[in-house]
């Protein structure tokens, strides 16, 4: 044993101009959180009656590239990943969900023994296929991203010629206290929130396998974004309006706004322009009386041409 530790992993990423192709002289950003990627072979077995029906040989039918990354949300640190998550492009500091392909290359490097030569694993055509942002009182704001990739390469000890590596400059964590502004749902006066989770779930978002290649995929399907907000709200003077609305199939559509950040010019405003309550159950099992609320964000064809709108650099 030579003392190698998982905290000696270097995870780096760079945006791709052409999907599934690492830039020729990449300017990698070193991620402060690990980007946990796997390239898993799909093993095909050949069984033989001569071997009493047991396996006598195997081959690889394909390799699936997938991964996760999670940690504390930091303003500006993961804007490339947010583009990929929403399949959109930042335009004048506004990002809306769309159907644009936004990929990046991930390179994970670990020393071969303490102080040894780096062994590098590269994954290409990586997209964020889903994720969540979680706000919990008295804690940090956290994110979790699911990743899918289109290709992977064999390990190597050779860096890409001309590659550079720069540490992330944004380091200040966003907290669920100071850095959460007034959550607003148009038409409702809200009681205090204990927690809220915003899930960016895609239906039908998956890698497209193709004939003639074990490693590369034909792409990743766009899928249908079904964003959902789940929240725990204290039962107080205003809970009844949400409770009643969730029981009314024809309740009025409303917008939901999450202001994230407390430093002028370094804030996000996350808006879901059209929402409806889907559940609003009361929970009296704990010390505090709580209301568990679920909200479905829906496509706004009239104004935003999207179901999610994220603005950065808010003053």
């Amino acid at each position: 044993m030579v003392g190698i530790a998982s905290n000696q992993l270097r995870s780096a990423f760079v945006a791709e101009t052409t999907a599934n192709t690492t830039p020729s002289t990449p300017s990698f950003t070193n991620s402060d959180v690990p980007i946990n990627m796997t390239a898993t072979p799909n093993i095909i077995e050949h069984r033989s009656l001569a071997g009493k029906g047991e396996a006598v040989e195997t081959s690889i039918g394909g390799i699936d590239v997938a991964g996760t990354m999670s940690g504390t949300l930091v303003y500006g640190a993961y804007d490339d990943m947010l583009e990929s998550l929403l399949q959109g492009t930042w335009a004048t500091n506004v990002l809306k969900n769309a159907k644009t392909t936004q990929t990046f290359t991930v390179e994970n490097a670990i020393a071969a023994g303490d102080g040894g030569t780096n062994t590098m694993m590269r994954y290409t055509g990586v997209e964020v296929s889903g994720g969540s942002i979680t706000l919990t009182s008295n804690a940090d704001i956290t994110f979790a991203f699911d990743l899918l990739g289109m290709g992977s390469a064999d390990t190597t000890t050779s860096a890409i010629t001309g590659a550079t590596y720069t540490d992330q400059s944004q380091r200040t964590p966003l907290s669920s206290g100071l850095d959460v502004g007034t959550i607003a749902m148009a038409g409702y006066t809200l009681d205090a929130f204990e927690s809220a989770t915003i899930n960016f779930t895609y239906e039908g978002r998956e890698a497209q396998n193709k004939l003639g290649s074990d490693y590369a995929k034909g792409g990743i399907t766009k899928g249908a974004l079904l964003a959902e907000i789940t929240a725990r709200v204290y039962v107080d003077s205003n809970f009844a309006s949400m409770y009643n609305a969730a029981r009314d199939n024809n309740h009025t559509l409303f917008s939901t706004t999450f202001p994230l950040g407390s430093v002028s010019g370094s804030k996000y405003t996350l808006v879901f322009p059209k929402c409806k309550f889907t559940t609003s159950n009361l929970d009296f099992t704990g010390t505090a009386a709580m209301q568990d609320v679920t909200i479905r964000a829906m496509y706004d064809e009239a104004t935003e041409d999207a179901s999610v709108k994220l603005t950065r650099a808010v003053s």
Side-chain angles (χ1 to χ4, degrees):
M1 301 293 290
V2 289
I4 192 69
S6 59
N7 61 14
Q8 292 175 267
L9 173 72
R10 182 187 70 200
S11 279
F13 62 92
V14 61
E16 296 175 348
T17 301
T18 302
N20 203 30
T21 303
T22 305
S24 57
T25 53
S27 299
F28 283 103
T29 298
N30 293 325
S31 175
D32 281 339
V33 301
I35 306 175
N36 297 305
M37 300 297 299
T38 59
T40 305
N42 295 320
I43 301 299
I44 299 168
E45 287 187 342
H46 175 57
R47 300 186 180 190
S48 171
L49 289 177
K52 301 182 177 63
E54 298 173 20
V56 294
E57 188 54 274
T58 65
S59 62
I60 295 176
I63 294 182
D64 292 333
V65 179
T68 60
M69 63 183 299
S70 61
T72 298
L73 187 63
V74 174
Y75 176 82
Y78 305 106
D79 284 2
D80 285 347
M81 281 68 180
L82 291 169
E83 271 194 330
S84 185
L85 171 65
L86 295 180
Q87 300 179 72
T89 303
W90 289 103
T92 320
N93 289 322
V94 173
L95 174 64
K96 299 180 184 181
N97 70 290
K99 299 298 181 188
T100 302
T101 299
Q102 302 285 5
T103 62
F104 48 96
T105 294
V106 173
E107 181 185 87
N108 284 332
I110 191 77
D114 189 22
T117 302
N118 272 340
T119 298
M120 287 161 275
M121 296 74 69
R122 299 190 186 108
Y123 311 88
T124 56
V126 177
E127 296 187 50
V128 182
S129 59
S132 63
I133 295 174
T134 299
L135 319 175
T136 305
S137 55
N138 291 335
D140 52 348
I141 299 174
T142 61
F143 72 91
F145 295 147
D146 297 320
L147 309 174
L148 284 176
M150 297 168 63
S152 66
D154 289 343
T155 61
T156 180
T157 55
S158 300
I160 297 173
T161 302
T164 59
Y165 298 86
T166 304
D167 291 340
Q168 290 181 310
S169 58
Q170 305 94 338
R171 293 285 173 78
T172 305
L174 295 178
S175 79
S176 291
L178 179 66
D179 294 308
V180 177
T182 301
I183 300 170
M185 297 178 189
Y188 295 90
T189 301
L190 304 178
D191 296 321
F193 282 60
E194 181 193 53
S195 62
T197 298
I198 304 159
N199 290 299
F200 302 92
T201 302
Y202 282 91
E203 184 178 74
R205 187 123 160 81
E206 57 189 28
Q208 295 173 297
N209 298 321
K210 69 177 183 179
L211 289 172
S213 175
D214 290 339
Y215 299 93
K217 307 296 181 182
I220 296 172
T221 57
K222 298 294 127 187
L225 178 60
L226 300 173
E228 187 174 77
I229 302 160
T230 59
R232 281 180 63 80
V233 186
Y234 289 98
V235 172
D236 206 332
S237 56
N238 300 303
F239 82 95
S241 59
M242 288 194 296
Y243 182 79
N244 291 336
R247 294 157 57 89
D248 178 6
N249 184 58
N250 296 315
H251 68 273
T252 303
L253 289 160
F254 58 91
S255 65
T256 300
T257 302
F258 288 88
L260 304 177
S262 58
V263 177
S264 180
S266 297
K267 301 179 186 179
Y268 294 115
T269 299
L270 180 59
V271 176
F272 302 88
K274 287 178 65 173
C275 299
K276 266 199 169 185
F277 296 110
T278 55
T279 63
S280 184
N281 297 324
L282 300 178
D283 179 6
F284 300 144
T285 60
T287 302
M290 302 299 297
Q291 186 174 16
D292 292 323
V293 179
T294 305
I295 298 166
R296 168 70 75 205
M298 291 177 285
Y299 175 68
D300 176 19
E301 70 279 4
T303 304
E304 301 294 351
D305 190 28
S307 58
V308 181
K309 177 182 178 180
L310 179 62
T311 305
R312 64 184 178 186
V314 178
S315 60

